[in-house]
Amino acid sequence: MNLFWLVASFLLCVTSSSRGFSRSTGTVNVGSIFTTSSINGKVAKIAIKAAQDDINSDPSVLGGWNLSITLQDSNFSGFLGIIGALQFMETDTVAIIGPQSAVMAHVLSHLANELHVPLLSFTALDPTLSPLQYPYFVQTAPSDLFQMAAIADMISYYGWAEVIAVFTDDDQSRNGITVLGDKLAERRCKIAYKAALPPDPTATDSDVVAMLTKIRRMESRVIVLHTFSKTGLRVFDVAKRLEMMQDGFVWIATTWLSTVLDSKSPLPPDTAASIQGALTLRPHTPDSKKKADFVSRWHQLSNGSIGLNPYGLYAYDTVWMVARAVRTFLDQGNPITFSNDSKLMGLGGGKLNLGALSVFDGGSRLLNLILQTNMSGLTGPLSFHPDRSLHHPAYDIINAVKTGQNQIGYWSNHSGLSVVPPETLYDKKPNRSSSSQHLSAVVWPGGSTVTPRGWVFPDNGRQLRIGIPNRVSYKDFVQKLNGSDAVQGYCIDVFRAAVKRLPYAVPYKFVPFGDGRRNPSYNELVTQITAGVFDGVVGDIAIVTNRTKTVDFTQPYVESGLVVVAPVKKLSSSAWAFLRPFTPLMWAVTGAFFLIVGIVVWILEHRINDEFRGPPKQQIVTILWFSFNTMFFAHRENTVSTLGRLVLIIWLFVVLIINSSYTASLTSILTVQQLSSPIKGIDTLVTSDERIGFQVGSYAQNYLIEQLNVAKTRLVALGSPEEYAAALANGTVAAVVDEQPYIDLFLSDYCEFSVRGQEFTKSGWGFAFPRDSPLAVDMSTAILALSENGELQKIHNRWLTKKVCSTVNTAGSGSEQLNLQSFWGLFLICGIACFVALLVYFWKMLHQFKKYFPEDSSVSSAAAQAGSASGSSSRSRRIQTFLSFADEKAEVWKTKSKRKRGDDLCNGFDHNHAI
């Protein structure tokens, strides 16, 4: 700041020695700073003059005050822009419209902060001009923050992952590209390279040629050009000569190109030819009668010297914004007064005339009134958010074509990309989903209407270095032929077939990785991509988490997953094979329930059903016969009680499930060759203390240690199928853990081993490329095409379909046995039903017993007087009576009860008569 004020003081010494404080009370002084030889400067000059005339011609606007706008030409010079601003401060200026560029805005904003003079610019749209740092600076057109968001949405919409940014090396362009990088990152895209050019308009053809020549050798073909009209047109002219406006290239220019299209129509033939196919943005201004009337006036205002662009509309509205704020300022009784700056006076002395600068006393109030603007101008409704950004920023998306320009859609901060005007969507709920984003067809550079891929292989003459594992086992997947550079195998054929389906040529060469004496570490192989040694890796590379953190994989071309292989022995059929379906405990519980259900049904039916009565031996036989006949639903005894039928229905349902399960399991045992092993799967293997084999270089080792917590001392590295077989046969390892494709080949030669359990991981094999490589996406598409047309399966059959063992490997009988755990719920339900039925039955029987045989109170009293012996005898007789009641048929006890009540009545009558 001290340096700034020293410079300012020096300039004041040169431009002004002294000035007084006299001012006309009927004039409101406003300054403007533009480069009048630029397109926006020419348009702004005409629009500002028109706005001034319109305001002064209508006394109701400023209430009799006269608006005086003075223009200073900065002529592309920040130095002249500073001088112009200082000169405005000498004439008691209440506001300054401008500057045109952000370079000057960053400097002049410090002056505005000190002297409280609002700066209003519709072209200095640098996103970093923060209202916190520069409170007196106001952007009256949408900030480049929104323009860069629109470009990022376009790049994402077309599916491009990387872009090259070409920009002028000044504050506005550099900061805009920084924001673009942030917006792209939000959409998982990025700027691959940033190319800076000298500040406009100092860039020369040689500067541009050197820059574009370097870009042409790069991979990305999507170029974002953020500069100004003179430099931008020079870039397009050179790109045309370097054949960079041909098929495959994408050029997206910021709003500078739309100003050229609008203001220089028709374009010179050479200029029109050099920009054909480019996309650009134009600030969107909705149609209105006010706008149409101004457009119709423009030819007269400009004398046909230049066409109108949106920044001319913003210039006109900015003047009206200041005028309305000043009118409100005056109506509130605020005087336009200025006072000396104490800081400047303190620096006075010598020949410096710092008193020429004064502070606008009402600057803060005027600034607040400007920010409270709510008007309808040529650019549509104008108002500010609390962060000082304009409401509803939007852009037209333009395609430069032979006939001039073609509008392909719109972008708004509300709804993103659309083919309908943004104002029609403002009343609807925001929808930024990918399905709602639309643009019309584009004519790209070279005349193609097919969306370019957006990248090519670098034009540097170098073949891609594709790393392959130098395997010593399972060479069906990858094999380097001895004595030559030839490579073959399943993975190699899949890669070559996928490359052939790409719509462009891919120069590559295979580079073996490993010493050839043992399988290399695949983690180290993949790491060579991030180290820049390889441009990709092809082979049997499993797609696992730690690898995806550093590289990108293609779509899997084969499914994979870890499995357990262990020695097995055949189970020969025996006379007792029918017992295998159930475990011993299951047999015992099932038999016990047959007896329990038989006993329960006998109890429930005994008193009322003649088929469940008879001598004790006959009743036992009936219970057993009834119980086990329910297994075949062949019981002949009818159940007549409701409780008995309920228990029987539940039990028959249980029997149905048990019979079906037994039949299915026994069929499997008798018709499929059974293999037995103590290893049932990964769970039994991990919980045991047995040693485990794995393939050298496989990710299985890390998985077992890190994910399953297997001690490293239990793991044994094995290098080939022969080592697998030997280690399993001699007991060096109890099992081998490896990926399914390897095991399929291994078991085709060694039938004495079998897969135990199921795959306990799910993954696949893919080709690895650097992060964000477009080749990974295109190769994935090619692999899917190979899968859909059956070519991938043909390659698989050619390399991996081997002879199979004559027997079918299945899990051992122990794992097929049905245990109690699978049926305990059924048994529980049946047991509860039996218990509840018995409980209800005995409660009803006790109730009937008390009804038919009530306890005589006189007898009970006599028994109590006779002593405990007599009481015990009475309880014993009553229990015997209850047991007899429970054993006797119900009809018999009813008959006896009726006869007993009749005898008691007769005895009572005779006794009374005798008395």
Side-chain angles (χ1 to χ4, degrees):
M1 285 296 292
N2 290 335
L3 178 61
F4 169 76
W5 286 115
L6 288 174
V7 173
S9 300
F10 170 76
L11 293 173
L12 281 176
C13 218
V14 173
T15 60
S16 175
S17 59
S18 66
R19 69 175 175 85
F21 291 90
S22 62
R23 58 181 69 88
S24 173
T25 58
T27 300
V28 177
N29 295 321
V30 175
S32 64
I33 304 174
F34 289 95
T35 297
T36 56
S37 60
S38 67
I39 293 177
N40 286 338
K42 292 178 181 178
V43 171
K45 179 179 179 180
I46 299 170
I48 290 173
K49 180 64 169 59
Q52 175 183 311
D53 293 343
D54 291 345
I55 292 170
N56 289 334
S57 64
D58 185 356
S60 65
V61 178
L62 284 177
W65 286 70
N66 184 64
L67 179 65
S68 175
I69 302 179
T70 305
L71 175 65
Q72 290 283 354
D73 184 4
S74 61
N75 195 24
F76 298 103
S77 171
F79 180 78
L80 294 179
I82 295 173
I83 289 179
L86 292 173
Q87 289 177 341
F88 287 141
M89 301 308 174
E90 297 176 358
T91 57
D92 296 342
T93 300
V94 299
I96 297 177
I97 299 175
Q100 185 171 337
S101 71
V103 176
M104 287 188 289
H106 280 280
V107 176
L108 297 184
S109 292
H110 291 288
L111 183 62
N113 290 349
E114 183 66 26
L115 301 180
H116 297 181
V117 177
L119 288 178
L120 295 88
S121 179
F122 47 86
T123 54
L125 304 176
D126 183 352
T128 64
L129 286 166
S130 166
L132 295 177
Q133 184 178 8
Y134 307 114
Y136 280 85
F137 181 80
V138 180
Q139 292 173 335
T140 59
S143 165
D144 279 348
L145 171 71
F146 303 105
Q147 180 177 201
M148 296 308 166
I151 293 175
D153 277 347
M154 292 167 60
I155 291 168
S156 177
Y157 172 79
Y158 288 114
W160 301 315
E162 295 183 355
V163 302
I164 293 174
V166 179
F167 60 97
T168 295
D169 195 13
D170 61 17
D171 290 343
Q172 181 158 324
S173 299
R174 189 186 314 111
N175 293 333
I177 292 300
T178 300
V179 172
L180 175 61
D182 295 339
K183 295 299 181 181
L184 288 174
E186 294 174 3
R187 294 155 179 82
R188 298 180 61 83
C189 306
K190 69 176 184 179
I191 297 177
Y193 180 72
K194 296 180 180 179
L197 290 170
D200 189 76
T202 61
T204 63
D205 275 6
S206 59
D207 295 328
V208 177
V209 169
M211 179 265 295
L212 291 184
T213 301
K214 184 177 182 180
I215 290 176
R216 190 174 59 178
R217 292 196 295 265
M218 295 180 180
E219 185 176 87
S220 178
R221 283 294 183 265
V222 181
I223 303 171
V224 176
L225 183 55
H226 186 39
T227 180
F228 302 94
S229 58
K230 289 190 176 182
T231 300
L233 292 177
R234 187 184 298 275
V235 170
F236 275 117
D237 181 58
V238 174
K240 178 72 173 178
R241 299 202 306 265
L242 295 178
E243 298 183 347
M244 295 179 66
M245 297 301 295
Q246 302 298 322
D247 289 344
F249 282 91
V250 177
W251 288 84
I252 302 176
T254 49
T255 54
W256 69 265
L257 182 55
S258 67
T259 64
V260 173
L261 292 173
D262 292 335
S263 301
K264 288 189 175 184
S265 180
L267 292 174
D270 291 343
T271 301
S274 67
I275 64 174
Q276 283 186 26
L279 297 179
T280 185
L281 301 177
R282 175 199 293 135
H284 176 71
T285 56
D287 294 332
S288 65
K289 184 179 184 304
K290 186 181 295 187
K291 174 183 172 182
D293 292 342
F294 187 80
V295 172
S296 65
R297 292 173 54 197
W298 183 257
H299 184 75
Q300 179 182 358
L301 293 171
S302 64
N303 294 320
S305 62
I306 192 169
L308 176 63
N309 65 50
Y311 292 108
L313 304 178
Y314 280 109
Y316 186 91
D317 283 351
T318 301
V319 176
W320 275 89
M321 191 181 298
V322 173
R324 288 174 178 269
V326 169
R327 175 58 189 271
T328 305
F329 178 85
L330 295 172
D331 288 346
Q332 292 176 352
N334 299 306
I336 299 178
T337 60
F338 296 80
S339 59
N340 293 330
D341 190 336
S342 59
K343 295 180 181 178
L344 295 179
M345 297 304 293
L347 293 174
K351 297 181 180 181
L352 296 179
N353 187 15
L354 298 180
L357 300 180
S358 56
V359 176
F360 178 25
D361 298 325
S364 177
R365 288 187 292 275
L366 180 62
L367 173 66
N368 290 332
L369 292 173
I370 291 173
L371 295 176
Q372 293 171 15
T373 296
N374 188 5
M375 58 178 272
S376 180
L378 301 182
T379 58
L382 280 174
S383 59
F384 293 94
H385 287 288
D387 63 355
R388 298 195 184 183
S389 64
L390 289 172
H391 279 84
H392 301 311
Y395 294 89
D396 302 334
I397 301 176
I398 308 299
N399 182 201
V401 294
K402 288 183 178 180
T403 56
Q405 55 180 290
N406 180 33
Q407 186 164 334
I408 63 170
Y410 306 87
W411 179 91
S412 73
N413 196 41
H414 178 79
S415 55
L417 302 174
S418 68
V419 293
V420 298
E423 52 269 18
T424 64
L425 302 174
Y426 290 149
D427 292 335
K428 300 179 181 179
K429 185 178 181 180
N431 185 0
R432 302 299 292 271
S433 64
S434 58
S435 61
S436 69
Q437 305 296 290
H438 300 287
L439 291 175
S440 299
V442 177
V443 178
W444 302 100
S448 173
T449 56
V450 178
T451 302
R453 188 173 64 251
W455 71 279
V456 295
F457 287 102
D459 185 16
N460 53 19
R462 184 177 68 85
Q463 292 179 314
L464 295 182
R465 293 172 56 86
I466 304 298
I468 60 171
N470 191 7
R471 297 193 60 89
V472 296
S473 63
Y474 293 116
K475 293 186 176 182
D476 299 86
F477 297 106
V478 179
Q479 180 182 8
K480 181 181 182 300
L481 300 181
N482 294 329
S484 70
D485 294 332
V487 181
Q488 64 180 16
Y490 168 68
C491 303
I492 301 300
D493 281 3
V494 172
F495 177 77
R496 286 171 173 158
V499 168
K500 288 181 181 179
R501 296 194 66 87
L502 296 177
Y504 48 87
V506 179
Y508 65 88
K509 63 178 179 180
F510 292 118
V511 181
F513 177 79
D515 57 15
R517 293 187 294 272
R518 57 183 294 169
N519 293 334
S521 168
Y522 279 31
N523 286 337
E524 294 180 6
L525 174 58
V526 171
T527 303
Q528 298 303 304
I529 295 178
T530 58
V533 177
F534 295 138
D535 301 304
V537 169
V538 170
D540 44 337
I541 314 297
I543 305 173
V544 294
T545 303
N546 65 322
R547 296 172 185 169
T548 58
K549 293 177 180 179
T550 57
V551 299
D552 281 350
F553 281 92
T554 63
Q555 170 80 15
Y557 59 88
V558 66
E559 292 185 357
S560 181
L562 295 177
V563 294
V564 177
V565 174
V568 293
K569 62 179 181 179
K570 297 179 181 179
L571 292 177
S572 59
S573 183
S574 67
W576 303 103
F578 68 89
L579 294 176
R580 288 183 187 172
F582 288 162
T583 61
L585 180 60
M586 180 66 184
W587 279 118
V589 173
T590 302
F593 261 84
F594 272 108
L595 293 176
I596 291 171
V597 170
I599 293 172
V600 169
V601 172
W602 176 83
I603 292 173
L604 299 176
E605 297 289 327
H606 178 66
R607 299 186 67 246
I608 60 176
N609 193 340
D610 289 336
E611 293 183 359
F612 288 87
R613 299 189 62 79
K617 181 184 291 186
Q618 179 182 344
Q619 294 183 49
I620 293 174
V621 172
T622 299
I623 291 172
L624 296 175
W625 175 259
F626 176 83
S627 298
F628 291 100
N629 271 340
T630 57
M631 181 183 296
F632 312 103
F633 305 96
H635 50 284
R636 293 176 294 179
E637 294 79 8
N638 294 322
T639 53
V640 297
S641 68
T642 301
L643 293 175
R645 289 175 177 175
L646 176 63
V647 170
L648 185 59
I649 288 173
I650 295 175
W651 173 243
L652 291 178
F653 176 75
V654 175
V655 169
L656 175 64
I657 300 300
I658 292 175
N659 277 347
S660 301
S661 303
Y662 176 84
T663 303
S665 181
L666 183 61
T667 301
S668 175
I669 290 172
L670 297 180
T671 58
V672 179
Q673 176 65 58
Q674 297 293 302
L675 304 175
S676 176
S677 170
I679 303 299
K680 307 304 180 185
I682 187 63
D683 293 333
T684 57
L685 181 62
V686 170
T687 55
S688 69
D689 294 328
E690 302 287 349
R691 292 165 67 84
I692 304 171
F694 67 92
Q695 183 183 174
V696 174
S698 170
Y699 77 96
Q701 179 184 17
N702 289 339
Y703 185 88
L704 291 170
I705 295 174
E706 297 174 4
Q707 302 298 325
L708 301 182
N709 298 319
V710 176
K712 190 173 183 178
T713 55
R714 291 178 56 192
L715 303 181
V716 178
L718 304 173
S720 66
E722 293 75 18
E723 291 185 26
Y724 286 13
L728 290 170
N730 60 28
T732 302
V733 295
V736 170
V737 173
D738 207 349
E739 296 179 68
Q740 184 74 57
Y742 300 125
I743 296 305
D744 289 342
L745 287 180
F746 172 71
L747 295 180
S748 66
D749 295 324
Y750 298 94
C751 297
E752 62 269 30
F753 308 108
S754 173
V755 174
R756 311 303 295 166
Q758 304 296 322
E759 281 186 342
F760 55 92
T761 66
K762 289 292 183 181
S763 62
W765 291 354
F767 305 134
F769 294 96
R771 294 298 298 269
D772 301 323
S773 170
L775 188 57
V777 178
D778 289 354
M779 286 291 286
S780 294
T781 304
I783 290 171
L784 287 174
L786 293 175
S787 176
E788 291 171 358
N789 65 17
E791 189 173 351
L792 192 62
Q793 185 61 44
K794 292 178 182 177
I795 299 174
H796 181 278
N797 295 340
R798 184 164 64 248
W799 283 99
L800 304 181
T801 300
K802 306 292 184 180
K803 65 181 181 66
V804 296
C805 298
S806 58
T807 58
V808 179
N809 293 329
T810 66
S813 61
S815 61
E816 264 65 40
Q817 281 190 311
L818 301 175
N819 52 45
L820 181 61
Q821 185 177 1
S822 302
F823 299 92
W824 72 268
L826 290 173
F827 287 128
L828 179 63
I829 293 172
C830 186
I832 292 175
C834 291
F835 176 77
V836 172
L838 288 176
L839 191 65
V840 172
Y841 174 76
F842 282 116
W843 179 83
K844 290 174 63 178
M845 195 165 59
L846 286 172
H847 181 71
Q848 292 174 1
F849 180 73
K850 290 182 179 180
K851 178 180 177 181
Y852 295 144
F853 300 98
E855 187 175 0
D856 193 336
S857 59
S858 61
V859 174
S860 299
S861 176
Q865 294 176 1
S868 60
S870 176
S872 299
S873 175
S874 176
R875 284 194 297 273
S876 176
R877 285 195 302 272
R878 189 163 181 80
I879 291 173
Q880 291 177 0
T881 303
F882 175 75
L883 293 176
S884 299
F885 171 76
D887 181 62
E888 191 62 72
K889 195 171 182 180
E891 288 78 359
V892 175
W893 277 108
K894 290 180 181 178
T895 303
K896 290 181 178 180
S897 177
K898 291 179 181 178
R899 186 182 304 115
K900 181 176 182 299
R901 285 197 297 271
D903 293 342
D904 290 342
L905 289 174
C906 291
N907 293 333
F909 174 78
D910 292 341
H911 177 72
N912 293 332
H913 182 72
I915 292 174

